[in-house]
Amino acid sequence: MSLLTETRKLIVPPRTTPGPSPLARAAVPPLAPGALPGLGHAGALLRDPLGFLGSLARHGGVVRIRLGPRTVCVVTDARLVHTLLVALAHDCPRGAVQDTLRTAFGDGLLMSEGQAHRDRRRTVQPAFGPDRMGEYLAVMQQVTEERAGRWRPGQVLDVAKEMNHLALEIVTRSLFDARLSEDATVAFHRALPDLVKGQIVQSLYPNPALARLPLPVNRRFGDAVRVLNRVVDEAVDGRAATATAEEGRRTLPALLRAATDPATGCPLTEADVRSEAITMFGAGTETVSTTLTWLLDELLRHPEVEARILAELDEHLPAGTVPTPEALARLTYTRSVTQEVVRLHAPNAFLMRTAQVPVELGPYRIPAGTELLYSLTALHRDPVRYPEPMSFRPERWQDGGGTGRPSFLPFGAGKHKCIGEAFAWAELTVAAATILRRWRPVAVPGARAREVVWTTVQAQGLRVRLAPRGARSPRGGAAAASREGDATSSPEGTAPFSPAEPPPGRCPFTGATHATAPAAPMATTAPAGPRPPRDLRLAADRHADWALRRGLLTPAELPRYRAYALHELIGHAFPRARGAELDLLVDVLGWFTILDDCFDGSPGRHPAEARALVDPLIAVLDGARGTNPSESRLLLSWRELWKRQTASMSPEWRARAAREWRACLATFPAEADHRARGAVPALGLTDTMRLRRHGSCLYPFMNILERVHGADAPAALHAEPALHRLRANTADAATLINDLYSLKREERQAGAAFNTVLTLQRAHGCTRGRAVHAVRTRVVRLRQESEELRRELLHRHPAGRWYLDGTRELVAGVQAWTSTSDRYLVPDRGPRR
């Protein structure tokens, strides 16, 4: 009880002795900048809802915005949202967005307030009691098996549509013990977008009377409401006509028909029954189906997560067994995955409350009649509470991390908390487990999920090709290529590289012979003994030949480029690399250096040019094939390098490498955008380090450690939060070392530089010497912290010693090279990193 009491103290402001009104002392919430005459902030909200709402937190815990003539207070602090939903629930009932749905949902559980809500909740609660869950789990599995059993190998699935049909069928069979016709299911799926669009548009009307005008959006909203009512009638009436008393007693409609209204003592009316049924269909279908779609999309991007889920299912929920609540409780990693999907893709873009009386919300004074808006999506992407919020990291939920209230509110809080929370978590787990056991979704290039925001954050556009879940394929086998959407394989009967590639031969400038044969199979152990210095020199010659043949350099540029001695950086950082792996490392680093230098010119200052350069490179990671003969030499070279990197690597490794290359390449247009907007001087240390960490290319090179070794690091090691901290420390330390040695060059460059020393000088107004000292001190701390993490991880994962040692060698290699290379002595061109 002491912990609970302490938590409540943090959430609910303590009462004090009556004195001057606290509202008189409280502050007026600040007004967000950027309001336009007449429109206010409505244009920004409609143009980029999540970006706009997420940006408000920097102005305060409660911020005023203007939507036309209306003023709305946006609550951006999770603790204040929790206070709003719990301590102020009576004084702040539902707002305009939810009121719009009264036309569709009536006065049932979703829309009622006060005593009427409490009475109805007590009536509906038995349908979601623990004694019913075992029965629901069996139905969920059966429905999903039937639906997935109708799919066929090679079929391309519209995931959002199929998950919507699945969620609707689960609700219908579980709560109503009924079956909908296929026509009703399709009609329901088509009506949902018009329902949610109408909800948001009508809630923004300056006058409610506008909702009665025959506008197209209003007509479509009315049609959607009528479709929803027809579907509910089919579920409720169809089953009631054929069910016996014993069969019908356990369905939700039967439960409602047997109940009485505590206020009148009379049975509930058929209108009441339909109101609750509509609530379950509307609230229990779209959000669950959207979350299932995002779940499958994230698993496509993170096959190592999918592999861990399947392993956990094999251990705790063997194939052929009916899920039970006890079995689901043992699926701790699967629960972490679903929690992370719900956090990152919270379905509720925004919800509203209305202050019926003057209230105090934290330090702010809220007058009576004020509309209060909050976004669960924005709250769950708050970098203060969730570091790297846009990264998909299920490990943040392990060992209780991140689960504490009030920062995680996917089902609300207080008296209006979703009554079907346990049902929804179970449905997500059972449906995902059943689908993944039977099918292996393969990404269709160019058809990934994208966010479409109305009142909910929908996932649209995801299409997958279905492959039967069979035996695990060996690394590099045909099934592995299929698993990744055949992103790197060539069409049958064609050469392994683009026709635009120059033929192999002897370089006239270096005399080296460069072969284009596929990389040799990886050795399972590294060669013993020190690497002869001659090997590095030959690798440098082969790289120079490769860069000339690829058109990345001209003969005139070669001497200056070779003075960078990039092969020595690889030699220091990867002391065990040999042969084809050594050539790959030098080629990748050289290619990235040449790409990086492009952004010292016009692309580094113009975001459109930066995106035009980077987007095709990222598309290669997503499986795009080369079809344009005019593709740039950078792009052609990148296709070859990606093929060489991924050859004979596991699907898990390939997905991880693609994810981290994507994050690395995306920093170029991000930095160009900051320069174009003149935002570089305003960037703080956190934002600068976030860009630098991923832009430094250290994460992709940490992945190549596994290729050099000849095997993936243990999966259990990759799942460790401590390893994620170690990898971040490795990237940060190497980046900061680079910043120290590149400082003089970057101080002289024309455009604004992303250098941590310069950022510290701007942010703290300190001297150059103090900023340099702070960065050096930070490098020392990062290295000390990294050694502690290595010892901790080595104790638990001794088989991963080679990987842990490799992260240390990377940082040492960067320091050895930056202190001797001519890279930073070239006055007219140089990297931003």
Side-chain angles (χ1 to χ4, degrees), residues 229-295:
N229 276 278
R230 285 201 304 271
V231 171
V232 169
D233 287 345
E234 183 176 324
V236 173
D237 295 338
R239 178 59 182 164
T242 60
T244 65
E246 184 63 29
E247 289 173 333
R249 190 175 298 136
R250 295 181 65 80
T251 66
L252 179 63
L255 187 69
L256 293 169
R257 288 178 175 125
T260 57
D261 186 339
T264 64
C266 299
L268 297 184
T269 65
E270 282 301 302
D272 293 328
V273 173
R274 276 165 172 72
S275 178
E276 299 306 338
I278 289 174
T279 295
M280 297 308 157
F281 273 100
T285 299
E286 201 235 354
T287 53
V288 172
S289 65
T290 298
T291 303
L292 278 171
T293 303
W294 283 121
L295 173 59

Side-chain angles (χ1 to χ4, degrees), residues 31 45 84 156 159 290 313 457 461 513 568 619 650 715 733 775 777 811 831:
L31 179 68
L45 179 63
L84 175 66
V156 174
V159 177
T290 298
L313 291 173
V457 185
T513 301
E568 292 182 5
S650 70
V775 170
T777 303
V811 177

Side-chain angles (χ1 to χ4, degrees), residues 56 89 91 112-113 262 298 635 789 797:
L56 297 178
D91 295 332
S112 58
E113 293 286 349
E298 291 294 352
L635 178 55
L789 290 168
H797 307 282

Side-chain angles (χ1 to χ4, degrees), residues 1-19:
M1 288 299 294
S2 61
L3 178 61
L4 177 61
T5 303
E6 184 63 26
T7 302
R8 289 177 62 83
K9 286 179 182 177
L10 293 172
I11 295 171
V12 183
R15 303 285 183 181
T16 58
T17 304

Side-chain angles (χ1 to χ4, degrees), residues 70 100 103 197-205 211 217-218 221:
R70 296 158 55 190
T100 305
T103 304
K197 289 176 187 176
Q199 178 191 10
I200 181 62
V201 172
Q202 291 186 11
S203 69
L204 293 176
Y205 284 154
V217 66
N218 293 340
F221 179 75

Side-chain angles (χ1 to χ4, degrees), residues 94-415:
R94 292 182 174 94
V97 173
Q98 288 92 319
D99 285 346
T100 305
L101 289 180
R102 198 176 298 276
T103 304
F105 293 95
D107 293 314
L109 186 64
L110 187 65
M111 301 309 305
S112 58
E113 293 286 349
Q115 187 62 44
H117 175 81
R118 288 192 290 273
D119 291 341
R120 188 59 57 85
R121 191 177 183 97
R122 281 196 292 268
T123 301
V124 175
Q125 186 66 57
F128 295 96
D131 59 314
R132 302 295 303 276
M133 192 54 66
E135 179 182 333
Y136 291 153
L137 293 176
V139 175
M140 292 171 185
Q141 184 187 45
Q142 181 181 356
V143 170
T144 310
E145 287 281 9
E146 291 174 2
R147 188 101 206 161
R150 295 197 287 269
W151 303 340
R152 293 292 175 264
Q155 177 182 349
V156 174
L157 209 64
D158 181 333
V159 177
K161 177 181 177 181
E162 198 65 24
M163 293 305 102
N164 184 272
H165 289 190
L166 174 62
L168 177 61
E169 195 169 353
I170 286 175
V171 168
T172 306
R173 296 267 291 275
S174 299
L175 299 180
F176 299 87
D177 194 19
R179 293 177 183 266
L180 293 176
S181 66
E182 188 64 21
D183 288 345
T185 302
V186 171
F188 183 86
H189 172 74
R190 290 174 176 170
L192 273 179
D194 291 331
L195 189 71
V196 295
K197 289 176 187 176
Q199 178 191 10
I200 181 62
V201 172
Q202 291 186 11
S203 69
L204 293 176
Y205 284 154
N207 190 317
L210 293 174
R212 296 192 292 272
L213 296 179
L215 302 174
V217 66
N218 293 340
R219 290 200 303 271
R220 288 193 294 269
F221 179 75
D223 292 341
V225 171
R226 285 186 286 275
V227 168
L228 183 58
N229 276 278
R230 285 201 304 271
V231 171
V232 169
D233 287 345
E234 183 176 324
V236 173
D237 295 338
R239 178 59 182 164
T242 60
T244 65
E246 184 63 29
E247 289 173 333
R249 190 175 298 136
R250 295 181 65 80
T251 66
L252 179 63
L255 187 69
L256 293 169
R257 288 178 175 125
T260 57
D261 186 339
T264 64
C266 299
L268 297 184
T269 65
E270 282 301 302
D272 293 328
V273 173
R274 276 165 172 72
S275 178
E276 299 306 338
I278 289 174
T279 295
M280 297 308 157
F281 273 100
T285 299
E286 201 235 354
T287 53
V288 172
S289 65
T290 298
T291 303
L292 278 171
T293 303
W294 283 121
L295 173 59
L296 291 178
D297 185 72
E298 291 294 352
L299 294 183
L300 286 171
R301 301 175 191 271
H302 305 88
E304 72 279 6
V305 174
E306 180 191 74
R308 284 194 63 183
I309 288 177
L310 289 169
E312 187 174 65
L313 291 173
D314 289 342
E315 181 178 358
H316 298 298
L317 190 62
T321 60
V322 176
T324 64
E326 294 75 21
L328 294 192
R330 293 192 292 270
L331 301 176
T332 55
Y333 182 73
T334 303
R335 178 59 178 257
S336 296
V337 172
T338 55
Q339 284 178 303
E340 180 68 350
V341 172
V342 170
R343 180 202 66 80
L344 182 55
H345 304 290
N348 298 110
F350 55 89
L351 299 165
M352 296 183 77
R353 294 289 186 268
T354 301
Q356 289 188 326
V357 297
V359 296
E360 184 179 359
L361 193 55
Y364 302 103
R365 179 173 72 251
I366 308 298
T370 301
E371 293 177 291
L372 295 151
L373 181 150
Y374 61 97
S375 168
L376 293 183
T377 311
L379 291 177
H380 292 170
R381 295 177 179 180
D382 181 358
V384 174
R385 299 187 180 276
Y386 300 98
E388 297 184 36
M390 299 309 295
S391 297
F392 182 73
R393 290 171 46 196
E395 64 275 4
R396 75 172 85 233
W397 298 98
Q398 295 175 324
D399 301 323
T403 57
R405 300 288 182 174
S407 64
F408 188 55
L409 302 166
F411 294 93
K415 67 178 185 177

Side-chain angles (χ1 to χ4, degrees), residues 553-607:
L553 294 170
T554 65
E557 293 170 327
L558 187 60
R560 182 178 62 181
Y561 176 81
R562 294 199 70 159
Y564 295 164
L566 298 176
H567 63 288
E568 292 182 5
L569 171 54
I570 296 302
H572 290 303
F574 295 85
R576 283 168 291 282
R578 302 286 192 277
E581 308 304 330
L582 180 61
D583 285 350
L584 172 64
L585 286 162
V586 179
D587 287 350
V588 170
L589 179 61
W591 176 88
F592 185 80
T593 302
I594 293 167
L595 172 70
D596 185 76
D597 283 347
C598 291
F599 289 86
D600 292 335
S602 181
R605 299 184 299 275
H606 298 90

